[in-house]
Amino acid sequence: MEGDVILVIVVGTALAFDFTNGFHDTANVVATSISTRAMAPRVAVGYAAILNFVGAFLSLAVAATVASGIVEADLVTPTVVFAGLVGAISWNLITWYYGLPSSSSHALIGGVVGSAFVAEGADAVLGEGLLGKVAVPALVAPVLAFTTAAIAILFAYRIIGRQSPGTVNRGFRVGQIALAHGTNDAQKTMGVITLALIAHGDLAGGSDPPTWVIVTSATAIALGTYVGGWRIIRTMGSRIIKMDTAQGFAAQGSGAAVILAASHVGFPLSTTHTISGAVMGAGAAKRVSAVRWGVAGNIVIAWVLTIPAAAVVGGGIYAIVSVFGEDSAVGPIIVSAIGLTLSAWAFARRLRRGPTLTTAEA
Amino acid sequence: MRLPIAGEIVEWDLILQVIYVALGAGVAVTIAVSFAILGATRAADARRDGDTIDTVIYGGLFLLGLGACLAAVVLGIVVMTSKD
């Protein structure tokens, strides 16, 4: 009975994480399109929500259990996963509150690493995995996207030269709509829920996610995307640089190329790091001072803090939950109730203070 | 001492592959769209001036750029859907 309750809580928490992943990372897909007026804000997030929903069905590889190879899989229990998810959700909400784009995957990895560390000690964490699968890609993604977007925008300015701005803007706007894409971030949640089901004995090891897991994960990320993390969209779309249509296209095209190239060879890159780096590159190539380096610096600090901060929260939550016993449902119930109350309060407060983005504001 | 260890942990060949594919594709798509826009603008100007040869040349440039961009989009969709 206790195990069933914990399973239900883990599934609910995973879907909550999926929802925060959706609204937190909406900016990766729509920020350039909205800020260059290629699409109206609501149309853009609606489009992104549909594409993210579809993206959840494109590839069902449960390799998206992002912590695999980073923590000892045998030592991961549903309670460890629960604490890790709470750590990830907490960091997603904090960075959303301050309008900072940060990686939801890194937040999940950090949360699980922290809770596994507190649960089983340092042996539970695989340092090589952290270096090879997290640290190096975190350096490669923004630098590569920055460079690609910078070279691309220089070619674009050279080619379009002094053509009529009206035609040029229309052309790059249409180009951005053509390059609009979704993500398949819902895979992470599918992987987490599937692992919990396997651990609970409802599925055989190595099973694919059941249909209900795929549909609920796709729905949660699509709903989150449609709600839209407007603060982060504003940061990425207009606070890092004041973007023209060519820069928007170069950033989006370069970001998509980096993500697809990495995805094709199975190299894990953060979409957030990639698109943010591309936006900075498209701005810096035009004029270094065009980039608001203070904003860019805050974003980089958030990237660096993501794993440690989520790990501290994940570890702390595990310590609290385990007071009631590793297999007890009391701890997760109490933490979930407190988390839901705090999240509802933060949402209500932010929604009251922050109106949704209009095209004119972008 | 540290380099061989890093070499074993980090998949440098994959990183190199990502770097050259991403650089090539990202820059190529932007160039293709830029040429499509240039072709469309110049073709419209040439048609207005009654210059048939330039209209055909720049119209061809527009189609070439557009075709390259569409091919990149299709390739992207194929890569996404074939990922396992």
Side-chain angles (χ1 to χ4, degrees), chain B residues 5 15 23 29-30 32 38 54 56 58-60 62 64 75:
Chain B
I5 295 171
I15 292 177
L23 265 173
V29 168
T30 307
L38 178 72
D54 275 6
V56 170
Y58 285 116
F62 164 71
L64 207 64
L75 184 65

Side-chain angles (χ1 to χ4, degrees), chain A residues 1 31 127 136 151 178 188 214-215 218 235 259 262 270 276:
Chain A
M1 181 60 189
V136 172
I151 295 172
K188 289 194 284 279
I214 298 168
V215 173
T235 300
I259 292 161
S270 160
S276 304

Side-chain angles (χ1 to χ4, degrees), chain A residues 59 128 163 249 263 265 267, chain B residues 9 15 18 33 41-42 83:
Chain A
S59 169
E128 292 183 358
Q163 304 306 310
F249 181 87
S263 174
V265 300
F267 189 68
Chain B
I9 297 170
I15 292 177
V18 170
V33 170
T41 313
R42 292 264 174 92
K83 191 181 140 192

Side-chain angles (χ1 to χ4, degrees), chain B residues 25-82:
Chain B
V27 174
V29 168
T30 307
I31 288 175
V33 170
S34 302
F35 273 125
I37 293 169
L38 178 72
T41 313
R42 292 264 174 92
D45 290 345
R47 197 172 58 183
R48 202 179 310 119
D49 298 341
D51 188 337
T52 312
I53 295 173
D54 275 6
T55 304
V56 170
I57 290 172
Y58 285 116
L61 184 63
F62 164 71
L63 289 176
L64 207 64
L66 187 68
C69 186
L70 288 176
V73 171
V74 171
L75 184 65
I77 291 169
V78 169
V79 169
M80 271 182 70
T81 51
S82 63

